[in-house]
Amino acid sequence: MTTVFVLNGPNLNLLGGREPEVYGTATLADVERLCRETAGELGLTVDFRQSNREGELVDWLQEAGAAVAAGTIEGARLPVVEVHISNVHRREPFRHHSYVSAVAAGVVVGFGVTGYQLAIRGLHQLRRPQGG
């Protein structure tokens, strides 16, 4: 794996101004910079995207999987780490369920934007040969 896709969903374009008491003050540009720095330390590149349309996120996942004929995350056979800036389990009940979690290699919840770094490092570890 040389490229890490960082796909950001709805409303993350408002990061830094929207509910800073929940999401902090880092902007999406700050998160992108953080991701690129972390990936660079590991010899990886980043394809960083954001969309308010969930269908577009699915399209991007399929694009990343290139040879996938059908399906989304599971079908793409890509290792996925789901990241939540806030601890969704301490929030409204509708946030407690995720369709992504069941097929994700891991889930990072509640560490703020540091969760992005943890996810990239985790993906890197997953893709390294055992014992290496």
Side-chain angles (χ1 to χ4, degrees):
M1 174 174 64
T2 59
T3 300
V4 175
F5 284 79
V6 180
L7 305 181
N8 297 278
N11 298 320
L12 285 175
N13 56 309
L14 303 175
L15 202 58
R18 174 181 169 235
E19 298 182 79
E21 68 282 359
V22 174
Y23 299 106
T25 57
T27 65
L28 195 59
D30 295 331
V31 172
E32 181 175 2
R33 193 170 25 261
L34 179 68
C35 289
R36 290 190 187 285
E37 289 171 3
T38 303
E41 292 170 12
L42 301 170
L44 306 170
T45 60
V46 170
D47 186 331
F48 194 92
R49 303 178 189 192
Q50 188 277 329
S51 178
N52 288 321
R53 293 174 302 284
E54 291 179 355
E56 189 167 28
L57 295 168
V58 172
D59 289 343
W60 290 339
L61 281 168
Q62 290 179 351
E63 175 187 317
V68 177
T72 57
I73 294 170
E74 192 170 30
R77 305 263 190 266
L78 297 171
V80 172
V81 176
E82 181 178 8
V83 176
H84 293 276
I85 296 169
S86 68
N87 182 347
V88 294
H89 303 290
R90 296 178 78 184
R91 301 186 62 204
E92 304 90 345
F94 75 89
R95 297 180 191 276
H96 298 181
H97 179 75
S98 165
Y99 292 100
V100 176
S101 296
V103 295
V107 180
V108 180
V109 176
F111 288 97
V113 298
T114 300
Y116 284 84
Q117 288 179 300
L118 297 171
I120 290 170
R121 291 184 187 285
L123 279 172
H124 183 256
Q125 283 298 119
L126 286 175
R127 302 305 288 177
R128 291 177 64 182
Q130 294 296 333

